């Protein structure tokens, strides 16, 4: 949605971070049935490689080809670069990826 408000939060540029989400910018979607969710992480018009206090390294991917955006969306890392709630220890050591 171009502009939205929910409780004390609002955004006038579609994609923003009004609650300082550590995974970065987010937005409400236009069609929940199409997206299968009411909201999602997004990149503002003009681009933004920032997620909380972190800035993505241009072109970085892990050993399996996943980049910073995937790590942020899935909660695999925190903004300080340490493993996030989505990281499964059974996958191995975080720094090995």
């Amino acid at each position: 949605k171009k502009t939205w408000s929910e409780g004390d939060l609002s955004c006038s540029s579609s994609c923003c971070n009004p609650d300082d989400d550590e995974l970065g910018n987010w937005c409400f979607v236009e069609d929940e049935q199409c997206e299968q969710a009411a909201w999602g992480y997004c990149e503002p018009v003009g681009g933004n490689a920032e997620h909380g206090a972190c800035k993505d390294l241009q072109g970085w991917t892990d050993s399996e080809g996943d980049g910073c955006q995937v790590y942020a969306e899935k909660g695999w890392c925190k903004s300080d670069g340490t493993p996030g709630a989505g990281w499964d220890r059974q996958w191995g050591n975080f720094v090995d990826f």
Side-chain angles (χ1 to χ4, degrees), residues 79-91:
S79 62
D80 65 1
T82 59
W87 185 259
D88 187 335
R89 290 180 182 212
Q90 292 180 356
W91 297 338

Side-chain angles (χ1 to χ4, degrees), residues 19-89:
D19 63 349
D20 295 322
D21 185 315
E22 71 176 27
L23 296 179
N25 296 305
W26 55 276
C27 62
F28 283 105
V29 300
E30 297 236 356
D31 184 350
E32 287 183 38
Q33 292 196 351
C34 177
E35 300 290 335
Q36 299 177 349
W39 68 278
Y41 290 102
C42 57
E43 184 175 316
V45 174
N48 182 351
E50 296 179 10
H51 305 280
C54 274
K55 185 163 184 160
D56 297 345
L57 296 174
Q58 187 71 21
W60 178 87
T61 60
D62 68 10
S63 61
E64 296 181 352
D66 295 315
C68 291
Q69 187 70 27
V70 172
Y71 272 66
E73 289 171 358
K74 298 195 180 269
W76 293 345
C77 66
K78 298 181 193 174
S79 62
D80 65 1
T82 59
W87 185 259
D88 187 335
R89 290 180 182 212

